[in-house]
Amino acid sequence: MNAPLITLLEESGLTGHGGAAFSTATKVRAAHEHGAALIVNACDGELGAAKDGWVVAHHLEELLAGARLLAPGPRPRIRYAAHRGSAAEATLRGAGLDVLEVPARYVSSEETSLVSLANGGLARPMTKRAPFVQGGRDSGGRRVPATVVLNAETVWRVAQVTDRGAGWFRSHGTPAEPGPRLVAVGGAVGRHVVVEAESGTSFHDLFAAAGGVHQGVSTVLVGGLGGGFLQAGEAAARTWSGADLAPLGLPLGPGVVTAVDPTPRLVDVVAEQLRWAAGESAGQCGPCMFGLPALAEAWSAYARGERSARTAIERRIALLPDRGACRFPDGVARYAASALRVLDLTAATRPRTGTTR
């Protein structure tokens, strides 16, 4: 076990930048204890995500250095996961690396999906009796070797912390969420960019780095399909930080901030995204097989003006979390609930001159 590295990571407070925000030191310690193989996830699986591909494109040598630190030894077992046909895949293959080619589907780049794919299975989430960093068996009883998955930005940050020190890392961000963080800013903005930011950065500064938002933008989406919405006024009064987003029920997420196009109605935008989400599941657990299509159908009815559909939406949202092999339905439930909240806020402040949504 590389005790000095683990101590350094503990001192830095580095957490995974893929969305779960789990302690990197804890994960690396378990990986070293169990001799786990390493998968570096450069898939950018969330809607609007771009930062891991940006790391591959702009900091490949540091990324490789971080991976070698995390999987030391004369014959380290390291694979780099990238979506099939992506620029990241081409760059990684061009560098002669062992690339795990991942289908371009939403759940295919989920942690356990990558572990399954790397070990000869399908790119579908697996139920975890224990973290696969310890090894184990899938639902069919097939042995799964110990494997740890870290996203590309996290691995790059490991190299930076090793080179610059824990104090440098903690000089950025907030005490609760230290360190620099990449944010992909997109949607109705001047240009889509990946911004070097940190927890506590204002939404104004994030959008300014993208050339500003288009006229009429009134809603911001944080975290993509696994995150949720806030009104532009709420964003103006808050920072991009866990502390400021938690009261709205939103996680910091994987580093995606989107100015929602003001031209279509928000209720229609959400209807389209929920229909897409219903088709992106692995189709193996009840919440995804039945719950997501039912939620999408109820929301489409709501968008058509069937107000009775509101009750069905709320019922579906309540039934989705904590029941699947992965957190995909949990994230979609949060996304839909936050959309209802923002739609209600908008309706409450709009003059009553006809339709309210």
Side-chain angles (χ1 to χ4, degrees):
M1 182 188 299
N2 189 340
L5 173 63
I6 293 170
T7 299
L8 183 63
L9 294 177
E10 286 178 332
E11 292 173 350
S12 73
L14 174 65
T15 60
H17 288 186
F22 189 77
S23 165
T24 301
T26 300
K27 210 167 183 180
V28 172
R29 179 185 291 109
H32 286 193
E33 287 175 348
H34 295 278
L38 170 64
I39 297 176
V40 179
N41 186 358
C43 287
D44 283 317
E46 185 52 75
L47 292 180
K51 63 187 182 63
D52 293 315
W54 185 90
V55 171
V56 170
H58 298 280
H59 295 279
L60 182 58
E61 289 305 315
E62 289 175 280
L63 176 66
L64 302 187
R68 288 191 293 268
L69 287 166
L70 294 167
R75 300 182 65 183
R77 293 173 297 156
I78 306 171
R79 301 190 76 177
Y80 295 83
H83 278 144
R84 183 182 300 132
S86 66
E89 182 196 19
T91 299
L92 293 166
R93 288 197 187 280
L97 301 170
D98 184 356
V99 177
L100 181 64
E101 184 181 292
V102 182
R105 292 181 60 84
Y106 190 94
V107 299
S108 293
S109 59
E110 187 268 343
E111 180 182 45
T112 64
S113 295
L114 296 181
V115 175
S116 174
L117 183 64
N119 289 285
L122 299 174
R124 302 194 311 184
M126 297 186 291
T127 301
K128 293 186 287 187
R129 296 179 178 84
F132 283 111
V133 69
Q134 303 174 16
R137 296 187 181 277
D138 63 17
S139 58
R142 183 172 59 95
R143 181 178 174 276
V144 179
T147 311
V148 64
V149 180
L150 293 168
N151 85 298
E153 185 191 356
T154 304
V155 175
W156 173 46
R157 299 301 183 191
V158 168
Q160 288 186 316
V161 169
T162 303
D163 183 52
R164 306 181 191 185
W168 165 81
F169 190 81
R170 282 196 170 272
S171 70
H172 298 270
T174 66
E177 294 167 332
R181 298 177 66 104
L182 296 176
V183 184
V185 184
V189 294
R191 59 187 180 279
H192 291 197
V193 295
V194 173
V195 180
E196 181 79 73
E198 58 191 50
S199 177
T201 301
S202 71
F203 283 95
H204 175 272
D205 286 348
L206 291 176
F207 286 126
V213 299
H214 295 175
Q215 185 175 0
V217 167
S218 62
T219 310
V220 174
L221 175 61
V222 177
L225 194 58
F229 298 92
L230 62 163
Q231 286 186 315
E234 292 176 319
R238 287 170 168 77
T239 65
W240 184 73
S241 68
D244 273 1
L245 293 174
L248 302 179
L250 304 181
L252 200 60
V256 183
V257 173
T258 306
V260 179
D261 188 340
T263 303
R265 299 183 307 163
L266 178 60
V267 70
D268 293 325
V269 171
V270 175
E272 180 181 356
Q273 293 297 346
L274 290 179
R275 286 193 295 269
W276 180 84
E280 283 295 301
S281 82
Q284 62 182 1
C285 299
C288 278
M289 290 177 66
F290 308 112
L292 293 185
L295 174 60
E297 181 180 354
W299 194 285
S300 293
Y302 188 57
R304 292 193 300 267
E306 299 177 23
R307 299 303 173 214
S308 61
R310 171 71 179 248
T311 301
I313 292 172
E314 292 173 342
R315 184 170 61 251
R316 297 300 178 187
I317 288 173
L319 289 173
L320 284 173
D322 300 319
R323 299 179 60 200
C326 70
R327 294 294 181 181
F328 179 45
D330 303 55
V332 175
R334 179 171 51 241
Y335 171 93
S338 75
L340 286 179
R341 186 190 70 85
V342 168
L343 287 167
D344 287 345
L345 286 174
T346 301
T349 58
R350 182 178 297 162
R352 297 183 180 277
T353 56
T355 180
T356 60
R357 299 186 191 272

